[in-house]
Amino acid sequence: MSAPILSNHGCRLNAYEAEAMRELASQAGLDNTVIVNTCAVTAEAVRKGRQDIRKLRRAHPDARLVVTGCAAQTDPEGFAAMPEVDSVIGNVEKMQLGTWQGLATGGTEPVQVDDIMSVTETAGHLIDGFGTRSRAYVQVQNGCDHRCTFCIIPYGRGNSRSVPAGVVVEQIARLVDRGFNEVVLTGVDLTSWGADLPGQPRLGELVQRILKLTRVPRLRISSIDSIEVDEALMRAIAEEDRLMPHLHLSLQHGADLILKRMKRRHLRGDAIRFCQEARRLRPDMTFGADIIAGFPTETEVHFENSLRLVEDCDLTWLHVFPYSPREGTPAARMPPVDGALIRARAARLREVGARAVDQHLAAQIGRVHRVLLETPHMGRTEQFAEVVFEIAQPEGQVVEAKIVGVVEGKLRAA
C-alpha cells in the first residue's frame, strides 16, 4: 500500500474534512497509512468506529493506523489504548499540515489532542470541493455554542467559529470556475454563522452575498436550526431561484416537554410555523429532519407527537436516531426508555418517513424537473430526490427531465 487509505464516519462536515486530510497526507508524503475519521454523535457511531478500526487493522497489519475525528477528540485515551491504534490526533490537529509531516517522519507523540474549547478560528480554504464532479461542499462554520442535553458534539468540535464571508465567496467563485454547478454550505451549527465575526452578520446575509457576487447555478444549505433562521434567509428562500428548495431541519422531537428536557431552543409550534411560512414563500419547498426516538422520559404520548410532526410539518426526508446515552451528557443521567421500545419507536418513525417519501415521489410523476447529473444515469432534483435515466446524460450538467415513474424509491425520467 502506498497512498493513505481513509475511512470516514459521520456527518457531511467530517466527509469534507476527510478529503482535506487526504490532500494534507499526500502533501506530507505519508504512505502505508490507514486513517479512520470517527464520529461521536451516538454511542452506536463510536462502536462502529471501533469496529472499523479492528477490521482495518486485520486488513492492513503492517500499516500505520491513525485515528481522528470527534470520537477521538472526546476520548483520546480510550482509542490510544486500543492495540490496533498507532496514533490519535484531534480535530484541530488533523487539519494542520505539520501534523501529517510529523507522522511521515515519525517525530510525533502517539496522542496529539489539544483543548478544542480554546480554538477561536476555523479554516477557510481547505479544499476546492470533493465527491462528484457536479456538487461541491464548502465549510463555512465549525463548532457549536449550544449545549443540548443529549449531545456531545460541542466537546468534539469546540465553540462556534465562522469562516469570513469574503473567504467563502472566493472559494465558491473558484468552484464555479472549475465547473461545479452546485455548492452546498456546511457546518456543525450552520445558522450560528457570523455570531463571532465583526458586525455579527447572519447566515441569510452570507447566502445573499454568495448569490450576488458569484455565478453559482445552484446553492444548497445543509442542516439548519429553524428557530435561528433570519429575515434575510427567508427573503432568499422567497426570491432566489438559485437557492434550492430543500431544507434539512434539526427538529429532534415533536413534544414540548421533551424539547425542553433536550434543552432545544424551539417548541413544536415554532417548527410548524416555520415550515408553513417557508412553504408559503416557496411552494415547492421540501423538508428533511433529524428526529430522536426514545429520548429519556419519552412516553407514548410524547412519541406520538413526533409521529404527527411528520404530517404537521409536511416532512419528506427523515433522519431517525434511536436515542443512545453519551457519557458526560445530562441526558445520560435521566430515566431511560427501554431499549427494545426505543428500537420499536425508531422503526415506526422510519415507516412514517418511508410513506412520506413515497407520497412525494408519486406526486412528481408527470412533472418536469431540473436535474443535476451526478453520474450519466443518475441525478437529483432541486428538492434532492434521486432521478434515474435509461439514456446517458452529460455528467455534471443540469438537464430538464420529465418524470414518468418511480422505481425502487427513485424517480424515473423519460
Side-chain angles (χ1 to χ4, degrees):
M1 182 178 70
S2 55
I5 291 175
L6 206 152
S7 177
N8 187 67
H9 296 251
C11 65
R12 182 58 66 179
L13 181 57
N14 242 24
Y16 179 98
E17 292 173 342
E19 292 302 313
M21 282 191 286
R22 193 190 306 276
E23 191 171 284
L24 291 170
S26 177
Q27 290 179 27
L30 196 64
D31 60 6
N32 196 33
T33 300
V34 174
I35 304 166
V36 182
N37 196 26
T38 61
C39 174
V41 69
T42 64
E44 176 66 8
V46 176
R47 187 192 70 79
K48 288 182 177 179
R50 292 179 177 275
Q51 183 181 56
D52 194 31
I53 289 167
R54 297 185 184 101
K55 179 181 177 181
L56 286 166
R57 171 52 76 199
R58 290 193 297 271
H60 306 282
D62 299 323
R64 177 195 292 107
L65 199 149
V66 180
V67 180
T68 186
C70 290
Q73 180 70 46
T74 55
D75 184 21
E77 295 83 5
F79 283 94
M82 294 181 68
E84 297 86 357
V85 174
D86 296 306
S87 300
V88 180
I89 61 176
N91 268 336
V92 173
E93 290 77 13
K94 74 181 184 183
M95 306 314 302
Q96 298 171 346
L97 178 60
T99 302
W100 302 100
Q101 290 173 332
L103 289 169
T105 60
T108 61
E109 296 294 323
V111 177
Q112 300 177 71
V113 181
D114 287 339
D115 178 14
I116 195 75
M117 294 301 176
S118 66
V119 181
T120 59
E121 294 181 354
T122 195
H125 170 58
L126 302 177
I127 55 172
D128 275 344
F130 72 95
T132 70
R133 291 166 53 191
S134 54
R135 180 179 298 108
Y137 296 81
V138 173
Q139 178 189 6
V140 303
Q141 184 273 340
N142 204 341
C144 184
D145 290 339
H146 308 292
R147 298 296 181 264
C148 297
T149 59
F150 57 84
C151 187
I152 201 167
I153 295 306
Y155 304 100
R157 288 287 179 179
N159 293 317
S160 182
R161 295 98 67 195
S162 307
V163 178
V167 176
V168 175
V169 168
E170 289 174 4
Q171 185 174 1
I172 292 175
R174 285 197 299 271
L175 291 167
V176 173
D177 288 342
R178 289 181 54 200
F180 285 94
N181 280 317
E182 183 172 296
V183 169
V184 184
L185 303 183
T186 187
V188 175
D189 183 25
L190 200 57
T191 34
S192 71
W193 179 88
D196 58 320
L197 296 176
Q200 297 185 322
R202 303 292 299 275
L203 180 63
E205 297 173 55
L206 176 64
V207 167
Q208 292 196 355
R209 186 168 176 178
I210 291 167
L211 293 170
K212 180 180 179 180
L213 298 179
T214 76
R215 297 175 289 105
V216 61
R218 291 165 55 137
L219 182 66
R220 197 177 292 277
I221 301 173
S222 60
S223 182
I224 62 171
D225 198 335
S226 59
I227 199 68
E228 287 194 323
V229 171
D230 58 286
E231 291 183 10
L233 184 53
M234 296 303 286
R235 287 198 303 274
I237 288 171
E239 300 169 0
E240 298 285 358
D241 290 341
R242 290 186 294 154
L243 180 62
M244 295 296 93
H246 166 244
L247 295 173
H248 190 85
L249 309 176
S250 180
L251 298 183
Q252 309 304 349
H253 211 275
D256 284 350
L257 182 60
I258 298 299
L259 288 168
K260 291 177 180 178
R261 288 174 177 166
M262 288 179 166
K263 208 175 178 181
R264 298 295 294 167
R265 288 156 286 160
H266 72 275
L267 297 176
R268 174 191 182 83
D270 298 320
I272 295 171
R273 282 189 294 274
F274 171 81
C275 291
Q276 290 174 341
E277 178 64 7
R279 186 165 281 112
R280 184 188 70 81
L281 296 172
R282 192 78 175 268
D284 59 343
M285 179 68 73
T286 60
F287 301 106
D290 295 332
I291 300 182
I292 295 174
F295 186 82
T297 76
E298 180 189 75
T299 66
E300 183 65 23
V301 172
H302 294 147
F303 174 69
E304 287 173 359
N305 273 292
S306 285
L307 288 177
R308 287 198 299 272
L309 193 68
V310 178
E311 181 178 353
D312 292 343
C313 286
D314 197 8
L315 306 176
T316 299
W317 316 106
L318 293 194
H319 193 176
V320 176
F321 291 87
Y323 174 79
S324 62
R326 303 297 290 113
E327 184 178 351
T329 62
R333 301 190 295 271
M334 297 179 185
V337 174
D338 177 74
L341 188 55
I342 292 175
R343 292 188 291 274
R345 287 176 177 172
R348 288 167 63 190
L349 260 176
R350 291 188 179 111
E351 289 173 4
V352 171
R355 289 198 294 271
V357 171
D358 289 344
Q359 291 171 4
H360 173 73
L361 297 181
Q364 309 314 308
I365 296 175
R367 297 184 180 181
V368 175
H369 279 278
R370 289 176 55 78
V371 179
L372 176 68
L373 273 299
E374 297 181 10
T375 72
H377 292 279
M378 191 280 286
R380 291 188 186 272
T381 67
E382 293 181 338
Q383 293 83 8
F384 214 61
E386 196 168 343
V387 183
V388 293
F389 295 79
E390 290 186 11
I391 301 174
Q393 304 293 316
E395 184 177 348
Q397 299 303 304
V398 177
V399 301
E400 287 196 348
K402 184 176 182 179
I403 305 304
V404 297
V406 177
V407 55
E408 297 181 349
K410 301 172 185 178
L411 298 174
R412 183 166 63 86

